[in-house]
Amino acid sequence: MTPVRTIESVTAEAFAGVQAAAQPVVLKQLVADWPIVAAARQSDQAVTALLADLDAGLKVPLSILPPEANGLCHYDASLTGVNFRTTPQWLEDIWPRLLSPPTDGSGYYVQSLPTETYLPRFAEAHAMPLLPPQVQPRLWLGTHVATQTHYDLMRNIACVVAGRRRFTLFPPDQQANLYPGPDDFTPGGAPLSLPDIRNPDFARWPRLRAALDSAQVAELEPGDALYIPYGWWHQVQSLAPFNALINYWWNDADATRPLPRLAFKAALVALRDLPDEQKAVWRHMFELFIFGDSEAAMAHLPAQARGAYGELTPERLKALKAEIAAAFK
C-alpha cells in the first residue's frame, strides 16, 4: 500500500493547507514533548501512573473482546449487535488488565473517553498547537486489538502516546468496495466495513481488492500524529501489548445546519424508489444546486429572487426547517 505522506514541524498556518488538500498526513512527532509521551518512553506503568494522577474518580466503560473475535472490534454475526461487551469499571481496576495482556486471545479497550470529564487536567498539561482549545481531547486505551474499518463525519487528529498503531486508510470513493454494514445499527455512529482487511477473503469480498489498491498506510510511534480527513475510511491496528492514543474530532461546518446524514436519510425516503427518469431529474438538480457551483447556477437571478437557492440566513433556514419538519409529520 502507499505510505501516508509525512511532514515535520507543521505550523497552524501550514495545517490549514493540509486540511484543504483533504488527504491524510502523518504529523511526525507533533506531540513528542507531551508529558504522557515522556512517560511512555519510560514504561507502560509510567503512563498508567500519569493517568491515575489525573483521574477524576469516575467509572469508565471497559469493552471486553472475547477470544473468538480474533482481536477485531466488529458487528456480531447477526449484524444487529457488537462482538464485545462493555462494563463500567474504575480506572484503577482496569490497569492490571491492560498491563498484563490476556493469554487466551481476549482483548480489552477503553474508547473515546472525553478527558474533560474523566481526566479534567489532561488538556492543560497536553496542549494541541494546531486546534482551538474548545476542541477537547479523547483518550483511547487498549491491548492488542483492532478497530474495524469505518469513517467519521469529522476531521480527526489521532496522536499515538504509548505503544504503536497501524492506520490503513481508504478515500471516500471506495465505500462500495468496502462493503459497508447496516446504517440503522452503527457501533460508533457510522457503518463498519464488513471484510477483515487483516486477512482478506477475496472470494467473498471481490471488490475489496480495488479498495486495497487505493489504500494508504501509516505506522505511528509515541509522539506521532495522523490527520484523517472528513469521511475517510480507516482501520486502526494496535501493534503493542499496551497502547494509548489521544484524538481530536472537530467539524468546521455550521453547527446550526441539519446533519448531512439526516439529509441522506430523507433522500432515501423521497428519492430512492422513484422511477429512473424521475431520479435523473433530481440528480441534475442536486448536481446544479448542491454539489456543483451553486453561485454560478443562480447567477442570473437577482438576490431578492433567489429564495431557497440563495443565502441561508437564519430566517430562511428556520423556514426551510419548518417546511421539512412538516413534510415528515
Side-chain angles (χ1 to χ4, degrees):
M1 301 179 207
T2 303
V4 174
R5 181 169 71 97
T6 297
I7 59 177
E8 300 187 24
S9 304
V10 65
T11 63
E13 293 75 18
F15 185 60
V18 168
Q19 295 178 74
Q23 291 285 322
V25 173
V26 173
L27 307 169
K28 191 66 178 175
Q29 291 296 283
L30 176 69
V31 296
D33 61 347
W34 275 5
I36 193 171
V37 174
R41 296 191 189 105
Q42 300 176 37
S43 66
D44 296 339
Q45 289 78 6
V47 174
T48 60
L50 182 148
L51 293 173
D53 182 61
L54 299 173
D55 184 9
L58 302 174
K59 284 190 173 182
V60 305
L62 175 68
S63 295
I64 303 171
L65 202 61
E68 58 269 23
N70 194 27
L72 184 66
C73 308
H74 207 334
Y75 296 112
D76 63 15
S78 70
L79 301 183
T80 59
V82 293
N83 66 347
F84 54 88
R85 62 183 178 89
T86 301
T87 177
Q89 299 282 328
W90 302 110
L91 265 180
E92 63 186 29
D93 295 330
I94 290 175
W95 301 138
R97 302 191 186 195
L98 299 182
L99 294 173
S100 300
T103 58
D104 64 353
S106 300
Y108 298 97
Y109 68 100
V110 175
Q111 61 176 337
S112 192
L113 201 66
T115 59
E116 61 183 328
T117 299
Y118 293 90
L119 306 164
R121 292 179 289 118
F122 183 91
E124 180 182 355
H126 299 82
M128 168 46 66
L130 303 181
L131 298 175
Q134 61 265 32
V135 181
Q136 287 292 304
R138 291 173 172 267
L139 173 66
W140 305 68
L141 296 165
T143 57
H144 199 174
V145 298
T147 301
Q148 176 60 350
T149 312
H150 66 286
Y151 65 87
D152 300 308
L153 296 178
M154 293 279 194
R155 296 179 177 184
N156 187 2
I157 295 179
C159 309
V160 171
V161 295
R164 293 184 303 116
R165 299 205 185 206
R166 178 188 297 119
F167 291 77
T168 306
L169 301 108
F170 304 88
D173 64 8
Q174 291 302 306
Q175 176 156 312
N177 297 328
L178 289 167
Y179 300 89
D183 185 81
D184 50 350
F185 173 74
T186 58
L192 303 180
S193 171
L194 296 185
D196 182 356
I197 64 170
R198 303 172 307 167
N199 184 27
D201 182 349
F202 295 123
R204 185 179 182 187
W205 315 107
R207 295 196 305 273
L208 185 60
R209 286 187 185 276
L212 290 170
D213 286 344
S214 73
Q216 299 184 39
V217 65
E219 291 194 7
L220 273 60
E221 59 186 26
D224 291 341
L226 174 68
Y227 171 65
I228 305 174
Y230 178 102
W232 273 66
W233 291 76
H234 50 285
Q235 189 245 39
V236 188
Q237 171 73 57
S238 299
L239 302 178
F242 173 79
N243 300 269
L245 179 141
I246 293 290
N247 93 296
Y248 298 82
W249 278 317
W250 78 101
N251 188 341
D252 298 325
D254 185 348
T256 65
R257 303 284 176 86
L259 293 174
R261 180 172 290 282
L262 294 181
F264 173 73
K265 291 187 174 182
L268 291 176
V269 174
L271 302 177
R272 186 182 62 181
D273 296 330
L274 290 177
D276 288 346
E277 70 273 14
Q278 294 184 26
K279 284 197 286 189
V281 171
W282 286 105
R283 181 179 295 111
H284 291 306
M285 191 81 76
F286 272 66
E287 287 294 338
L288 185 62
F289 289 104
I290 307 297
F291 301 117
D293 185 343
S294 59
E295 186 62 35
M298 59 186 178
H300 60 287
L301 292 172
Q304 72 274 11
R306 292 180 177 182
Y309 299 149
E311 180 185 358
L312 288 178
T313 62
E315 296 77 16
R316 168 56 61 182
L317 190 58
K318 181 179 179 180
L320 286 173
K321 285 181 176 180
E323 182 180 348
I324 293 167
F328 283 91
K329 283 185 178 178

